[in-house]
């Protein structure tokens, strides 16, 4: 699972593997950077080349990308959306399904609260992955949180409709979630 926290200056990337018992293991984490002094097209090229290298090296089953949401700074939204598009395109070229998760979905998945702060997300990601220190910068922690979120909440997030299927592990997880919801309703 590759998580991508898109950004034009700093793009967080994190790879995690799913383990039995709703656990996850860190494979790799990093931040892809582009020089703000370069023109946007060259900055996008640098990020695209680095994303391609991560996709080729780690061969993820799914790429989880943060869903871009409206912000007051249009320039920030544009760069974020453009880099999100690069991640989705890179995945699509390799036949890898893409999942989109909002920041509040990601925060809720890893901390229990959709309003959690950056430091709380970093602490929870470190705890979930058994890390000795907080993943930094926040972009790296957010990328790992995206990957963890998708491991734990795969249903409904995949893009592409019928083109992509859930992995066997994701189907099993989705079935377990349905069963748990049914049991909870029955117990009420």
């Amino acid at each position: 699972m590759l998580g991508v926290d898109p950004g034009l200056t700093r793009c967080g990337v994190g790879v995690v593997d799913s383990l039995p018992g709703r656990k996850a293991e860190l494979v790799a984490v990093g931040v892809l950077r582009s020089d703000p002094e370069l023109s946007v097209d060259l900055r996008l090229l640098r990020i695209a080349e680095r994303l391609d290298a991560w996709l080729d090296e780690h061969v993820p089953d799914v790429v989880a990308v943060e869903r871009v949401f409206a912000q007051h700074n249009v320039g920030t939204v544009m760069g974020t959306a453009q880099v999100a598009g690069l991640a989705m395109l890179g995945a699509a070229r390799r036949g890898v399904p893409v999942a989109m998760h909002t920041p509040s979905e990601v925060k809720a998945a890893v901390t229990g609260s959709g309003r959690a702060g950056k430091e709380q997300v970093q602490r929870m990601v470190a705890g979930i992955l058994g890390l000795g220190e907080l993943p930094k910068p926040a972009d790296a922690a957010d990328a790992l949180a995206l990957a963890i979120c998708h491991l734990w909440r795969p249903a409904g997030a995949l893009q592409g409709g019928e083109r992509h299927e859930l992995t066997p592990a994701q189907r099993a997880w989705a079935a377990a979630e349905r069963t748990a919801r049914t049991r909870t309703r029955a117990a009420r």
Side-chain angles (χ1 to χ4, degrees):
M1 169 66 54
L2 171 64
V4 179
D5 180 39
L8 189 53
T9 302
R10 290 179 322 276
C11 175
V13 288
V15 180
V16 297
D17 279 340
S18 179
L19 300 175
R22 197 175 159 127
K23 294 183 181 180
E25 178 179 55
L26 173 68
V27 175
V29 65
V31 176
L32 313 179
R33 299 176 189 274
S34 72
D35 185 349
E37 301 295 319
L38 295 175
S39 61
V40 173
D41 58 328
L42 293 178
R43 294 178 75 187
L44 290 170
L45 177 62
R46 300 282 191 285
I47 296 291
E49 290 169 343
R50 292 175 180 133
L51 280 170
D52 284 343
W54 274 75
L55 287 162
D56 291 342
E57 180 179 348
H58 298 289
V59 192
D61 292 331
V62 177
V63 174
V65 181
E66 183 176 284
R67 184 180 300 278
V68 179
F69 62 99
Q71 296 174 342
H72 298 294
N73 185 340
V74 174
T76 301
V77 170
M78 288 299 296
T80 301
Q82 290 165 332
V83 173
L86 294 175
M88 293 188 300
L89 178 62
R93 283 185 173 153
R94 290 161 178 80
V96 177
V98 173
M100 303 291 288
H101 296 281
T102 66
S104 59
E105 287 173 328
V106 173
K107 291 174 184 179
V110 298
T111 71
S113 170
R115 296 177 183 249
K118 293 278 187 192
E119 188 177 327
Q120 187 177 1
V121 170
Q122 287 174 301
R123 279 196 313 269
M124 291 303 294
V125 166
I128 291 165
L129 297 175
L131 305 178
E133 57 187 48
L134 300 182
K136 293 183 181 177
D139 309 282
D142 290 347
L144 292 170
L146 275 153
I148 293 166
C149 173
H150 190 73
L151 287 176
W152 291 355
R153 295 182 171 190
L158 286 179
Q159 306 298 297
E162 298 299 318
R163 284 197 46 220
H164 299 296
E165 293 184 25
L166 294 175
T167 66
Q170 290 169 331
R171 282 194 298 277
W173 180 258
E177 282 185 325
R178 283 191 301 276
T179 301
R181 282 193 299 270
T182 302
R183 287 181 184 158
T184 300
R185 282 189 216 118
R188 290 183 191 166

